Amino acid sequence: MSRAEKSGIAKDMQAKVMAKFDPRLEAEAIQWMEAVTKKRIVGKLADVLHDGTYLCGLMNTLKPGSINKINTTTLAFKQMENIDKYLKAVVAYGVPVSDTFQTIDLYEASEGAGNMVQVIDNIHALGRAAQRNHYSGPRLGVKLADAAPRNFSEETMKAGQTVIGLQAGFNRGASQAGMAAPGTTRHI
């Protein structure tokens, strides 16, 4: 199915999205996905990921059983269902919702209308989450820092209360009272 060319603000918005596209990030994502799934990506990434089966297989490789049924039909709503299952699985795996994409971003990307930038960002976020979840296979991106909670004793907490705030000086009772003559207005 082909779409009419975008015009007006829609064309401007699509150009803005495509300006953020980085082929290096796409190549890194492809290399990582191929290494994890042991399945080669042939052709455009958007075309390979379009039906969601590759992404579901990727997620099942990282966390077996995370997507129980992968639809292999060519029906559009079943393909979009695959993408939706993948998105739910990555959030459950630890990818922040802010690093996900809309199903339509990927589904329409093969026609040039979607948002592959967001899809590739999501794959990088999945790579970071895989490291945090102790996936021992190939790595993508940097490892996210773990939380380092501080546990202070009661004695240390009380000692902190004796520290004088406003380290630059003492200003108790400071005000601007008396700075102007009584009855005059302040000129700004």
Side-chain angles (χ1 to χ4, degrees), residues 43-78:
K44 286 178 55 181
L45 182 61
D47 294 338
V48 173
L49 302 182
H50 175 78
D51 64 0
T53 56
Y54 195 97
L55 291 174
C56 290
L58 172 67
M59 194 61 228
N60 276 339
T61 303
L62 295 173
K63 184 179 179 190
S66 57
I67 299 173
N68 55 0
K69 183 176 186 276
I70 302 171
N71 300 308
T72 56
T73 181
T74 58
L75 296 173
F77 75 94
K78 288 294 189 178

Short mmCIF file of all heavy atoms in Angstrom, two decimals, residues 43-78:
data_model
loop_
_atom_site.label_atom_id
_atom_site.label_comp_id
_atom_site.label_asym_id
_atom_site.label_seq_id
_atom_site.Cartn_x
_atom_site.Cartn_y
_atom_site.Cartn_z
N GLY A 43 18.07 -6.42 4.24
CA GLY A 43 17.20 -5.36 3.74
C GLY A 43 17.09 -4.23 4.76
O GLY A 43 17.88 -4.13 5.70
N LYS A 44 16.10 -3.38 4.53
CA LYS A 44 15.90 -2.23 5.41
C LYS A 44 15.39 -2.72 6.77
O LYS A 44 14.53 -3.60 6.84
CB LYS A 44 14.89 -1.25 4.80
CG LYS A 44 15.43 -0.43 3.66
CD LYS A 44 14.38 0.48 3.05
CE LYS A 44 13.76 1.37 4.11
NZ LYS A 44 12.73 2.26 3.58
N LEU A 45 15.90 -2.11 7.83
CA LEU A 45 15.50 -2.48 9.18
C LEU A 45 13.99 -2.33 9.38
O LEU A 45 13.34 -3.21 9.97
CB LEU A 45 16.25 -1.64 10.21
CG LEU A 45 15.96 -1.95 11.68
CD1 LEU A 45 16.34 -3.39 12.02
CD2 LEU A 45 16.71 -0.98 12.58
N ALA A 46 13.42 -1.25 8.88
CA ALA A 46 11.98 -1.01 9.03
C ALA A 46 11.17 -2.14 8.40
O ALA A 46 10.14 -2.56 8.96
CB ALA A 46 11.59 0.33 8.43
N ASP A 47 11.62 -2.65 7.26
CA ASP A 47 10.90 -3.74 6.59
C ASP A 47 11.00 -5.03 7.37
O ASP A 47 10.03 -5.79 7.46
CB ASP A 47 11.45 -3.94 5.17
CG ASP A 47 11.19 -2.75 4.26
OD1 ASP A 47 10.26 -1.96 4.55
OD2 ASP A 47 11.94 -2.59 3.27
N VAL A 48 12.15 -5.30 7.96
CA VAL A 48 12.35 -6.53 8.73
C VAL A 48 11.52 -6.52 10.02
O VAL A 48 10.93 -7.53 10.40
CB VAL A 48 13.85 -6.75 9.04
CG1 VAL A 48 14.06 -7.93 9.96
CG2 VAL A 48 14.64 -6.93 7.75
N LEU A 49 11.46 -5.38 10.66
CA LEU A 49 10.76 -5.28 11.94
C LEU A 49 9.27 -5.02 11.79
O LEU A 49 8.52 -5.11 12.77
CB LEU A 49 11.37 -4.16 12.79
CG LEU A 49 12.87 -4.26 13.11
CD1 LEU A 49 13.30 -3.10 14.00
CD2 LEU A 49 13.21 -5.59 13.75
N HIS A 50 8.82 -4.71 10.60
CA HIS A 50 7.45 -4.27 10.31
C HIS A 50 6.36 -5.13 10.95
O HIS A 50 5.40 -4.61 11.50
CB HIS A 50 7.26 -4.21 8.79
CG HIS A 50 5.88 -3.90 8.35
ND1 HIS A 50 5.36 -2.61 8.38
CD2 HIS A 50 4.88 -4.70 7.88
CE1 HIS A 50 4.12 -2.65 7.94
NE2 HIS A 50 3.81 -3.89 7.62
N ASP A 51 6.50 -6.45 10.88
CA ASP A 51 5.43 -7.32 11.40
C ASP A 51 5.61 -7.69 12.87
O ASP A 51 4.76 -8.36 13.45
CB ASP A 51 5.31 -8.59 10.55
CG ASP A 51 6.55 -9.47 10.59
OD1 ASP A 51 7.52 -9.11 11.29
OD2 ASP A 51 6.54 -10.53 9.93
N GLY A 52 6.70 -7.26 13.48
CA GLY A 52 6.90 -7.49 14.92
C GLY A 52 7.47 -8.84 15.29
O GLY A 52 7.85 -9.06 16.45
N THR A 53 7.58 -9.78 14.34
CA THR A 53 8.04 -11.12 14.69
C THR A 53 9.51 -11.12 15.12
O THR A 53 9.88 -11.84 16.06
CB THR A 53 7.83 -12.12 13.53
OG1 THR A 53 8.49 -11.61 12.36
CG2 THR A 53 6.36 -12.33 13.25
N TYR A 54 10.33 -10.34 14.44
CA TYR A 54 11.76 -10.30 14.80
C TYR A 54 11.93 -9.73 16.21
O TYR A 54 12.71 -10.24 17.00
CB TYR A 54 12.55 -9.46 13.78
CG TYR A 54 14.04 -9.66 13.86
CD1 TYR A 54 14.70 -10.54 13.02
CD2 TYR A 54 14.81 -8.98 14.81
CE1 TYR A 54 16.08 -10.73 13.10
CE2 TYR A 54 16.18 -9.17 14.90
CZ TYR A 54 16.80 -10.03 14.04
OH TYR A 54 18.16 -10.22 14.15
N LEU A 55 11.19 -8.67 16.52
CA LEU A 55 11.29 -8.06 17.85
C LEU A 55 10.79 -9.02 18.94
O LEU A 55 11.39 -9.09 20.02
CB LEU A 55 10.50 -6.75 17.90
CG LEU A 55 11.07 -5.59 17.09
CD1 LEU A 55 10.12 -4.41 17.10
CD2 LEU A 55 12.44 -5.20 17.62
N CYS A 56 9.72 -9.74 18.65
CA CYS A 56 9.22 -10.73 19.63
C CYS A 56 10.26 -11.82 19.85
O CYS A 56 10.49 -12.25 20.98
CB CYS A 56 7.91 -11.33 19.14
SG CYS A 56 6.52 -10.18 19.19
N GLY A 57 10.90 -12.27 18.77
CA GLY A 57 11.96 -13.28 18.90
C GLY A 57 13.14 -12.74 19.70
O GLY A 57 13.73 -13.46 20.52
N LEU A 58 13.49 -11.48 19.48
CA LEU A 58 14.57 -10.84 20.25
C LEU A 58 14.23 -10.84 21.73
O LEU A 58 15.05 -11.22 22.57
CB LEU A 58 14.78 -9.41 19.74
CG LEU A 58 15.74 -8.52 20.54
CD1 LEU A 58 17.17 -9.04 20.44
CD2 LEU A 58 15.66 -7.08 20.03
N MET A 59 13.02 -10.44 22.05
CA MET A 59 12.61 -10.38 23.46
C MET A 59 12.58 -11.77 24.08
O MET A 59 13.00 -11.95 25.23
CB MET A 59 11.23 -9.70 23.55
CG MET A 59 10.84 -9.27 24.92
SD MET A 59 11.99 -8.07 25.60
CE MET A 59 12.26 -8.80 27.18
N ASN A 60 12.12 -12.77 23.33
CA ASN A 60 12.11 -14.14 23.85
C ASN A 60 13.51 -14.70 24.03
O ASN A 60 13.74 -15.57 24.86
CB ASN A 60 11.28 -15.06 22.94
CG ASN A 60 9.80 -14.99 23.27
OD1 ASN A 60 9.41 -14.60 24.35
ND2 ASN A 60 8.99 -15.36 22.29
N THR A 61 14.48 -14.21 23.26
CA THR A 61 15.86 -14.63 23.44
C THR A 61 16.42 -14.04 24.73
O THR A 61 17.11 -14.73 25.49
CB THR A 61 16.73 -14.19 22.25
OG1 THR A 61 16.18 -14.73 21.05
CG2 THR A 61 18.17 -14.67 22.40
N LEU A 62 16.10 -12.77 24.99
CA LEU A 62 16.59 -12.12 26.21
C LEU A 62 15.91 -12.67 27.45
O LEU A 62 16.55 -12.87 28.48
CB LEU A 62 16.35 -10.60 26.13
CG LEU A 62 17.14 -9.86 25.06
CD1 LEU A 62 16.68 -8.41 24.98
CD2 LEU A 62 18.62 -9.93 25.34
N LYS A 63 14.61 -12.91 27.36
CA LYS A 63 13.85 -13.44 28.49
C LYS A 63 12.89 -14.49 27.94
O LYS A 63 11.77 -14.15 27.51
CB LYS A 63 13.10 -12.33 29.21
CG LYS A 63 12.38 -12.81 30.45
CD LYS A 63 11.67 -11.68 31.15
CE LYS A 63 10.95 -12.23 32.37
NZ LYS A 63 10.05 -11.21 32.94
N PRO A 64 13.29 -15.74 27.93
CA PRO A 64 12.46 -16.80 27.35
C PRO A 64 11.05 -16.82 27.94
O PRO A 64 10.86 -16.68 29.14
CB PRO A 64 13.22 -18.09 27.70
CG PRO A 64 14.65 -17.63 27.83
CD PRO A 64 14.57 -16.26 28.43
N GLY A 65 10.07 -16.96 27.04
CA GLY A 65 8.68 -17.03 27.45
C GLY A 65 8.02 -15.69 27.72
O GLY A 65 6.86 -15.64 28.14
N SER A 66 8.72 -14.61 27.45
CA SER A 66 8.12 -13.29 27.73
C SER A 66 6.99 -12.96 26.76
O SER A 66 6.09 -12.21 27.09
CB SER A 66 9.18 -12.20 27.72
OG SER A 66 9.87 -12.17 26.50
N ILE A 67 7.03 -13.54 25.55
CA ILE A 67 5.94 -13.38 24.60
C ILE A 67 5.52 -14.79 24.20
O ILE A 67 6.26 -15.51 23.52
CB ILE A 67 6.38 -12.55 23.36
CG1 ILE A 67 6.80 -11.16 23.81
CG2 ILE A 67 5.24 -12.48 22.34
CD1 ILE A 67 7.40 -10.31 22.73
N ASN A 68 4.35 -15.19 24.64
CA ASN A 68 3.96 -16.59 24.48
C ASN A 68 3.51 -16.96 23.07
O ASN A 68 3.77 -18.06 22.61
CB ASN A 68 2.87 -16.96 25.49
CG ASN A 68 1.66 -16.04 25.41
OD1 ASN A 68 1.63 -15.12 24.61
ND2 ASN A 68 0.67 -16.29 26.25
N LYS A 69 2.83 -16.08 22.35
CA LYS A 69 2.37 -16.42 21.00
C LYS A 69 2.73 -15.31 20.05
O LYS A 69 2.33 -14.16 20.24
CB LYS A 69 0.85 -16.63 21.00
CG LYS A 69 0.33 -17.06 19.64
CD LYS A 69 -1.18 -17.34 19.70
CE LYS A 69 -1.66 -17.91 18.39
NZ LYS A 69 -1.97 -16.92 17.41
N ILE A 70 3.48 -15.66 19.02
CA ILE A 70 3.88 -14.69 18.00
C ILE A 70 3.06 -14.97 16.75
O ILE A 70 3.10 -16.09 16.22
CB ILE A 70 5.39 -14.78 17.70
CG1 ILE A 70 6.20 -14.55 18.97
CG2 ILE A 70 5.77 -13.80 16.61
CD1 ILE A 70 7.68 -14.82 18.83
N ASN A 71 2.31 -13.97 16.30
CA ASN A 71 1.47 -14.13 15.11
C ASN A 71 2.33 -14.06 13.85
O ASN A 71 3.16 -13.17 13.71
CB ASN A 71 0.42 -13.01 15.06
CG ASN A 71 -0.49 -13.03 16.27
OD1 ASN A 71 -1.06 -14.06 16.59
ND2 ASN A 71 -0.61 -11.90 16.93
N THR A 72 2.12 -15.01 12.94
CA THR A 72 2.90 -15.02 11.70
C THR A 72 2.05 -14.69 10.47
O THR A 72 2.53 -14.76 9.35
CB THR A 72 3.55 -16.41 11.50
OG1 THR A 72 2.52 -17.41 11.53
CG2 THR A 72 4.58 -16.68 12.57
N THR A 73 0.83 -14.30 10.68
CA THR A 73 -0.06 -13.96 9.58
C THR A 73 0.29 -12.59 8.99
O THR A 73 1.03 -11.82 9.59
CB THR A 73 -1.53 -13.97 10.07
OG1 THR A 73 -2.38 -13.66 8.98
CG2 THR A 73 -1.75 -12.95 11.16
N THR A 74 -0.24 -12.32 7.81
CA THR A 74 0.01 -11.03 7.16
C THR A 74 -1.08 -10.00 7.47
O THR A 74 -1.05 -8.90 6.93
CB THR A 74 0.13 -11.21 5.64
OG1 THR A 74 -1.08 -11.79 5.14
CG2 THR A 74 1.33 -12.07 5.28
N LEU A 75 -2.03 -10.35 8.31
CA LEU A 75 -3.09 -9.41 8.66
C LEU A 75 -2.50 -8.26 9.49
O LEU A 75 -1.76 -8.47 10.44
CB LEU A 75 -4.18 -10.11 9.48
CG LEU A 75 -4.96 -11.21 8.75
CD1 LEU A 75 -5.89 -11.93 9.71
CD2 LEU A 75 -5.76 -10.60 7.60
N ALA A 76 -2.86 -7.05 9.10
CA ALA A 76 -2.28 -5.86 9.72
C ALA A 76 -2.50 -5.82 11.23
O ALA A 76 -1.58 -5.54 12.00
CB ALA A 76 -2.86 -4.60 9.08
N PHE A 77 -3.72 -6.13 11.69
CA PHE A 77 -3.98 -6.03 13.12
C PHE A 77 -3.21 -7.07 13.92
O PHE A 77 -2.83 -6.83 15.07
CB PHE A 77 -5.48 -6.07 13.43
CG PHE A 77 -6.13 -7.42 13.32
CD1 PHE A 77 -6.26 -8.23 14.44
CD2 PHE A 77 -6.62 -7.87 12.10
CE1 PHE A 77 -6.86 -9.48 14.33
CE2 PHE A 77 -7.22 -9.11 12.00
CZ PHE A 77 -7.34 -9.93 13.11
N LYS A 78 -2.92 -8.22 13.33
CA LYS A 78 -2.12 -9.24 14.02
C LYS A 78 -0.64 -8.82 14.08
O LYS A 78 0.05 -9.08 15.06
CB LYS A 78 -2.25 -10.60 13.31
CG LYS A 78 -3.59 -11.25 13.50
CD LYS A 78 -3.80 -11.63 14.94
CE LYS A 78 -5.04 -12.46 15.14
NZ LYS A 78 -5.22 -12.87 16.53
#
